[in-house]
Amino acid sequence: MNVQKHTRRRFLTSSAAATLGAAAVGTAAGTQLPHKGTASAAPSPTHHTPSSIPFFGAHQPGIADPTPTNAVFLAFDLKDSTVKSDLADVMRAWTGLAAALMRGDTSADTSLVSTGSTPGKFTMTVGLGGAALDQLDIKRPPALVDLPLFPGDELEVAASHGAVFVQLCSDDAIYLGGAVRAVRAAAKRVLRPRWQMNGFRGAAASTASSNGRNLMGQIDGTNNIAVSRASTGGPVWVDAVSPAWMTGGSYVVVRQFRILLSKWESAGSSTRDHAVGRHIPSGAPLGAHKESDPVDLNAKDPSGALIIPDDAHIRLAAPRRGAGEEMLRRSYSYSIGQASGAAGDEDAGLIFVSYQADPTTSFIPVQQRLAKSDALAHFTLATSSALFAILPGVVGRHDWYGRSLLS
């Protein structure tokens, strides 16, 4: 896949950067890989604190669960010598680590960063990229394609793609810092770190009753679909017999968009509203009054012009009925401070995250529409892009991530 090098990008940090940075200089932490060919079964949790989320289930946590205020997204490459049994060792170790950290057991974090902290709705979600399956000579599922280079993308190769994916979320940035250290340490014999993105959300966005704002001041998450970990199939969960190892899994798209904040803020309020298709202060669709008001894409003003313009973001992003374009959005903001060479501006924006059962019918066609004429594209720049197959959940003490694929 041909991508353009965006030389000014570097690994992302968030408002949690100070705590995560402090963790990075500590002693390497985490559960070490078991000896090759041995298993480390995940312990069965006997109780959960009020801030913990259950680990076991047909689907992995961190998708349909509440969205905590902090997230870290990690991608790894397989080392050249890696074979299937090596990756299986990592998955066994990560399974035990995730089960422990989700119930508040920080003993696996030997850096001691998370000691004394509570999980804060901590979740860990694991997936594989096409590059991992290619290297291990495993046939890809049809939906696990290489994302195309969309018009306007300026991707940094080193901050895109990847063979293995981990999403870590928590309301507690310190707990998250320890988890990052433990995840890296448990995989260091087999995997090479590729990229890391750290994101944050407003406190209001971590509740089920409110959508928070992103760094454009836009209410983010309106009209998102509802998904349950107890459900099967639908727009998020893979419910297919082939390949059987993906049944209960999902696909995640992660793309980082830098927001040209100075340009956005200097645009008039009418320009901003029309670019989004909503009144920015209230979140209401143009011509309406409340965020929850229905979007009428056919509404016209007295002159006969569309109230929501042809190039408005919400018009182009709206899923086409019956086309299988629905997806679950779970995005975060990021900021790493002032960008070099951009006087007075920040290197900040959005880590777009979507979960879907088939990105070839959902994310890709929607993004192709947006890339052609989205008015918001004048104020954003895509600098990172990746797609991963999210493995099914761990269903019992003797199960582990990807067991049916890697055992």
Side-chain angles (χ1 to χ4, degrees), residues 277-279 283-296 308 314:
R278 293 181 178 273
H279 300 288
L286 296 181
H289 302 285
K290 297 183 297 183
E291 179 192 354
S292 58
D293 287 344
V295 177
D296 186 354
I308 297 177
I314 66 169

Side-chain angles (χ1 to χ4, degrees), residues 24-25 29 31 37 87 111 113 128 134 149 171 195 225 273 276 279 318 372 391:
V25 299
T31 306
L87 186 56
S111 72
V113 172
L128 298 176
D134 293 345
L149 183 69
D171 284 330
W195 53 257
I225 63 174
D273 289 355
V276 175
H279 300 288
K372 286 180 181 178
L391 297 166

Side-chain angles (χ1 to χ4, degrees), residues 31 73 105 108-109 147 170 234 261 303 317 388-389 396:
T31 306
F73 306 93
D105 178 0
D109 174 18
L147 286 180
S170 176
L261 289 173
S303 72
F388 300 93

